[in-house]
Amino acid sequence: MVGKMNVLVYSGNGTTVESVRHCLYTMRRLLTPNYAVIPVAAEILLKEPWTSTSALVVFPGGADLGYCRIFNGEGNQRISQFVRRGGAYLGFCAGGYYGSKVCEFEVGNKKLEVVGSRELAFFPGICRGGAFAGFSYNSEVGARATELKVEKTWWGNEAPESFRSYYNGGGVFVDAEKYQGKGVEVLASYSGDLAVESGEGKAAIVYCKVGEGAAILTGPHPEFAAVNLDRQTYRPEIVDAIKEDDQKEAAFLKACLTKLGLTVNQELNAVPSLSRLHLSSLEPLDVQDLVGSWKDIIVAEEGEEYIRGENDTFHLGKLSRWSMGSLATVLPSLSSEKADEEAVNWGDRILDYSTVVKQMMVHNQSYPNCKETPSFNHHAFYANLRHYQSLSKYSRGEFGKYLIYGEVVTSTNTMLERNNKLLQRLPTGFTVTATTQVAGRGRGSNVWITPAGSLAFSTCIRHPMELTAQAPVIFVQYIAAMALVEGIKSYDTGYRDVPVKLKWPNDIYAEDPSKPGEKAYVKIGGILVNSSYSGKEYLLVVGIGLNATNNAPTTSLNALLTHLNTTRTRSGKTPLSPFTLEKLLARVLTAFEDHYTRFLQTGFSPAFEQEYYKNWLHTNQIVTLETAGGARARITGITRDFGLLRAEEVGWEDRPTGRIWGLQSDGNSFDFFRGLVRRKV
């Protein structure tokens, strides 16, 4: 499925915070890095064009009447159509009730009773609950670890006989076995006596074939992992039972996701702990001057220095003050014993990363060594940066001069954009990069997946207000996209043949190496530009994510090289060396600085325009404009005044009618493979 990399977890009205958090944790644990697992509000499901890029939509626990109030009508039509056209739906507890034709909950209980038909009707019968007595909203009174008997007919002999799962108010799918002729399979059944009439069988989890897609609905909560069940909130006997069966439950969920058509991890991925951040510079002594410019936002507490930003708190550790031997004493949270303890307590459980203090080591004497940053070689990065700067006609030595690197961070964009006090004091070209992001961000509702092997970085630009007429801010996204492609193709001699292209406005696509000769393209990179206004300048944070050495979730630059090298070898040419992240980052940053410096001088000149077209996918492409009532149009370029996508209406035999549209990138999205320009919220 081209582009179906998103798994959307509804987090709006009707859900509970705990259910959403458990759902996000478990989905990410099982699906990263193959999919981006994203919490989404109702507005996105109702109005954004999410269906073409999503593999699965998940409705977690809560109260399904809230879902009805929001999605009845058009919303449910979109969800139903998504599934019937090949998508997947996963409903836990309340999401299971909601996905059934009829919901019957606590019938006869005046305070709790909910009875009514439901529009999705993936399960063509009644979901009746609570399956066990004692339920109370916002309470653990009726909770239990319920034993589920696995139906082996769909899984195979490797399936466990049973496992225990968290339960609190879910239903049973009445007479589920009678609906086999309508595409229903029972995946697991309750083993205990129920408080309601279940008809034939005691179906706890069902699979429903729906058109070309499918839905799985559950009564219990198999997504509640034991590591996230604390004994203060949940009864100890429940925690112990679920912990004992954790591997069985995870295996069951993996089998369910596979049955829905998703690619799951063979091993369970631990949600990684945040690592130290390392601040360095091309000239290490310059770091001290930079930190000195932050003096008005640095606070001293008990002899330690902190920057308390709007979103994150950074603890500054200066290696010049402390020997490595005494560092563990000064910063106890960084000692190996403490780090191991934190890995146990935090590394594989739900965590609000914004509350974690980020440790920033200030390297003002030398570059970080390879033992401190084993996944990123600072010496190689700065050596390549110097080399590429020496070849540049326009470099002022700004982009990449200062670098923050972290092996595991939340999001390079978030650390800059959402900590405005720090952002206002950063120079143009200041860059943050990471090996792994746990909360990377993309345009609109998208999340760009950044597992190890991705090139992920964000760069600050202070764009002068006085130049906005000549060099409008809107074009920075185009400049960044062009620089990214140029950085790849000028990485070294011979790399011009790497088959990467631009998709409007700022995505990077590559020919799919698994489909040689078909001109099939997959997304391998994206760009996100956030801007704010401060004084006489715009503060821009340009975030870039690129699959460099990792093959999941689509393909990577090195996978392209493997295919390209086959062709080169046949023609007697020397194979190209694999990309390295350090050298690639240095090249992209210098290319970005070259392009941006030229842009300030000339604006988006005809030369820039032609360079952009040389690498884009859309020349003379015929598209359908959703924003213009489905009119057909030919893409003719972008405007050099406001950076709008220029589309010329075509009529009979694709002849131009004379009508022309200019489409904003922030108001529209381009489904390249379907030739559709869609309205965005």
XYZ file of all heavy atoms in Angstrom, residues 66 89 120 127 143 186 192 209 245 247 279 292 332 353 356 416 516 519 524 551 566 579 609 622 624 656:
199
model
N -20.053 9.387 23.309
C -19.251 10.533 22.887
C -18.822 10.404 21.439
O -18.788 11.383 20.690
N -9.907 -1.124 10.926
C -10.438 -0.482 12.127
C -10.164 -1.409 13.295
O -10.365 -2.627 13.207
C -11.939 -0.243 11.973
C -12.652 0.270 13.214
C -12.906 1.628 13.386
C -13.104 -0.607 14.204
C -13.583 2.107 14.509
C -13.776 -0.145 15.332
C -14.010 1.213 15.479
O -14.676 1.676 16.600
N -21.612 2.357 12.194
C -20.528 1.611 11.549
C -20.933 0.160 11.286
O -20.705 -0.377 10.210
C -19.254 1.665 12.398
C -18.588 3.037 12.529
C -17.349 2.936 13.410
C -18.205 3.583 11.153
N -23.425 -5.944 20.581
C -22.372 -6.008 21.594
C -23.044 -5.662 22.915
O -23.558 -4.550 23.091
C -21.236 -5.039 21.293
S -19.873 -5.143 22.482
N -13.126 -3.763 37.673
C -12.016 -4.233 36.837
C -11.570 -5.626 37.258
O -11.725 -6.035 38.403
C -10.849 -3.254 36.935
N -14.541 -15.502 15.372
C -14.263 -15.305 16.798
C -12.781 -15.571 17.020
O -12.286 -16.668 16.727
C -15.122 -16.242 17.673
C -14.756 -16.056 19.153
C -16.605 -15.967 17.449
N -14.901 -17.336 31.663
C -15.692 -17.349 32.891
C -17.175 -17.152 32.635
O -17.615 -16.909 31.505
N -14.836 -9.108 8.421
C -14.463 -8.726 7.072
C -15.465 -7.702 6.569
O -16.684 -7.924 6.613
C -14.448 -9.957 6.160
C -14.044 -9.680 4.721
C -12.624 -9.174 4.614
C -12.216 -8.959 3.161
N -10.892 -8.291 3.057
N 1.189 -12.973 31.990
C 0.788 -13.364 30.636
C 1.148 -12.312 29.587
O 0.607 -12.328 28.465
C -0.725 -13.616 30.594
C -1.115 -14.914 31.288
O -0.201 -15.638 31.730
O -2.322 -15.193 31.385
N 3.709 -11.712 27.596
C 4.228 -12.165 26.307
C 3.127 -12.803 25.464
O 3.068 -12.604 24.247
C 5.379 -13.158 26.532
C 6.621 -12.533 27.144
C 7.250 -11.486 26.248
O 7.360 -11.676 25.042
N 7.653 -10.372 26.829
N 26.088 19.570 23.021
C 26.247 20.842 22.322
C 27.710 21.025 21.948
O 28.596 20.970 22.816
C 25.782 21.999 23.211
C 26.068 23.411 22.701
C 25.336 23.673 21.387
C 25.670 24.449 23.752
N 27.261 31.843 26.758
C 27.273 33.142 27.432
C 26.149 34.047 26.973
O 25.625 34.851 27.757
N 24.058 12.960 39.231
C 23.767 11.578 39.589
C 22.842 10.879 38.610
O 22.907 9.670 38.446
C 23.134 11.699 40.982
C 22.654 13.121 41.069
C 23.633 13.910 40.276
N 7.160 12.924 27.976
C 8.540 13.329 27.762
C 8.785 14.798 28.093
O 9.912 15.182 28.387
C 8.948 13.049 26.316
C 9.154 11.586 26.012
C 8.262 10.890 25.202
C 10.246 10.900 26.521
C 8.454 9.548 24.918
C 10.446 9.556 26.241
C 9.539 8.890 25.434
O 9.731 7.563 25.154
N 10.405 15.341 31.488
C 11.745 14.820 31.745
C 12.772 15.917 31.505
O 12.786 16.547 30.446
C 12.051 13.617 30.834
C 13.468 13.104 31.084
C 11.036 12.512 31.061
N 13.188 23.104 19.533
C 13.481 24.479 19.136
C 12.219 25.336 19.127
O 12.143 26.359 19.809
C 14.126 24.485 17.753
C 15.509 23.819 17.648
C 15.979 23.805 16.203
C 16.524 24.537 18.519
N 11.824 -2.171 -10.170
C 12.661 -1.572 -11.221
C 11.929 -1.495 -12.549
O 11.211 -2.400 -12.941
C 13.859 -2.528 -11.293
C 13.368 -3.825 -10.732
C 12.379 -3.458 -9.680
N 8.829 2.987 -12.749
C 8.679 4.392 -12.368
C 7.691 4.556 -11.213
O 6.867 5.468 -11.198
C 8.225 5.232 -13.569
C 9.276 5.373 -14.663
C 10.484 6.167 -14.201
C 11.511 6.344 -15.314
N 12.702 7.099 -14.870
N 10.511 9.182 0.805
C 11.659 8.898 1.667
C 12.041 10.093 2.531
O 12.939 9.977 3.371
C 12.894 8.444 0.866
C 13.402 9.553 -0.051
C 12.601 7.179 0.082
C 14.783 9.285 -0.594
N 15.736 0.911 5.875
C 14.811 0.533 4.806
C 13.346 0.705 5.189
O 12.499 0.861 4.313
C 15.054 -0.915 4.381
C 16.343 -1.057 3.596
O 16.794 -0.103 2.968
N 16.941 -2.224 3.644
N 24.276 -1.972 -9.047
C 24.144 -3.119 -9.957
C 24.309 -2.661 -11.397
O 25.021 -3.292 -12.199
C 22.771 -3.798 -9.766
O 22.652 -4.242 -8.418
C 22.622 -4.987 -10.705
N 25.865 5.929 1.825
C 25.765 7.210 2.519
C 26.068 7.009 4.000
O 25.699 5.985 4.589
C 24.356 7.790 2.386
C 24.029 8.336 1.027
C 23.425 7.533 0.059
C 24.313 9.651 0.707
C 23.114 8.037 -1.191
C 24.005 10.172 -0.546
C 23.398 9.362 -1.501
N 13.596 28.776 -10.064
C 12.374 28.128 -10.521
C 12.693 26.935 -11.426
O 12.135 25.843 -11.265
C 11.499 29.136 -11.264
C 10.152 28.574 -11.700
C 9.310 29.591 -12.441
O 9.858 30.653 -12.834
O 8.119 29.331 -12.645
N -1.848 15.978 -15.141
C -3.282 16.276 -15.097
C -3.816 15.844 -13.742
O -3.618 14.696 -13.321
C -4.048 15.548 -16.221
C -3.494 15.949 -17.600
C -5.542 15.857 -16.133
C -3.710 17.401 -17.956
N -7.081 16.378 -10.527
C -8.441 16.770 -10.178
C -8.379 17.698 -8.979
O -7.743 17.375 -7.972
C -9.296 15.535 -9.839
O -9.336 14.666 -10.978
C -10.712 15.942 -9.465
N -6.590 23.557 -22.883
C -6.782 24.588 -21.852
C -8.019 25.428 -22.120
O -8.332 25.747 -23.271
C -5.502 25.427 -21.948
C -4.967 25.166 -23.326
C -5.348 23.762 -23.658
